Amino acid sequence: MEWITAVIGLSGTLFITYSIPLIIRALNIWKLRKDYINLPVTPIYALKNAAEGRYVIKGVTAESGDSLSSLFDDTKGVFFRTKIYPRTRKKFAKSWLDKRAINFKIKDKKNRCVYINAETALSEYGRFLIFHREIQQSFLVFAKKELLPERWRDKLEYACALEEYLTVGKSISIIGHFKTINGKIELVASKNKPFVIAECSDEAFALLHLRFFVRIALLALSMALTGLLQLYMLFFAMQN
């Protein structure tokens, strides 16, 4: 009986513990969406003298160095996120995720710029809502195999792929924190300063983040309720 009690108590505690980061994440997503809707668009030139905080800017992507190429065709871009995954678990189990970026900039109509370093673009604290496409098998077979891990090169005929990319000349919105470094306005990223780069419209952004918030919130709530139910069983139901 004691071991059953210990298992129920431990699992209930773990469910509640793991729900806490999800609750915090859901709240952050909600705040980001709320800020995006309520904050006015800030002109790029105004960021130099702006107080520290979160801002929304809009502009057009421009190169700040050499461009990147898709793994599957001649599409050029400044940011790529590619996932290759098995169509059947019998062939291989794990997916392969590749993220690549170069230094690029966002400019307004008067060519005033915000600079985005590749390291910032690839940060775990950033999110891209950009064009994505499913790659057909013919593209997979003729992929630039020298850019893939060796174990994947002969297995593409059994795989599928999803590619996201941001090209030059795209109108985008950014919500995030900015800092003037050596006279240049740069996007920054950290745990307390996440950012989102969105190619979609404001309405689509708000809707996508609402759906994302609901999904995370429901998962966190279900985990928390499961943990509380197990602790209730432990301290009340099992003692009667």
Side-chain angles (χ1 to χ4, degrees), residues 37-134:
I37 294 172
N38 294 333
L39 285 174
V41 175
T42 300
I44 290 177
Y45 71 85
L47 292 174
K48 274 195 174 182
N49 301 315
E52 184 175 345
R54 180 179 282 165
Y55 294 90
V56 176
I57 69 163
K58 294 180 181 292
V60 176
T61 55
E63 292 180 2
S64 184
D66 296 331
S67 60
L68 296 170
S69 295
S70 167
L71 295 179
F72 310 106
D73 56 23
D74 294 328
T75 300
K76 303 289 186 182
V78 295
F79 175 88
F80 282 90
R81 184 178 186 272
T82 307
K83 182 180 181 181
I84 301 177
Y85 53 94
R87 286 187 295 172
T88 170
R89 292 292 179 184
K90 294 180 180 179
K91 299 299 179 181
F92 42 88
K94 294 184 179 180
S95 301
W96 177 68
L97 181 65
D98 174 55
K99 289 175 66 176
R100 295 177 295 141
I102 60 170
N103 299 335
F104 65 98
K105 54 190 176 183
I106 311 302
K107 64 180 183 179
D108 62 13
K109 294 180 180 179
K110 295 186 178 180
N111 286 326
R112 292 169 294 206
C113 298
V114 165
Y115 292 85
I116 302 176
N117 296 320
E119 294 79 7
T120 301
L122 296 173
S123 168
E124 62 178 303
Y125 305 114
R127 187 169 179 229
F128 284 76
L129 298 177
I130 54 179
F131 180 82
H132 65 276
R133 61 175 178 172
E134 292 187 10

Side-chain angles (χ1 to χ4, degrees), residues 10 56 84 93-94 123 126 150 155 195 222:
L10 179 61
V56 176
I84 301 177
K94 294 184 179 180
S123 168
E150 186 174 353
K155 300 176 180 178
F195 69 87
S222 64

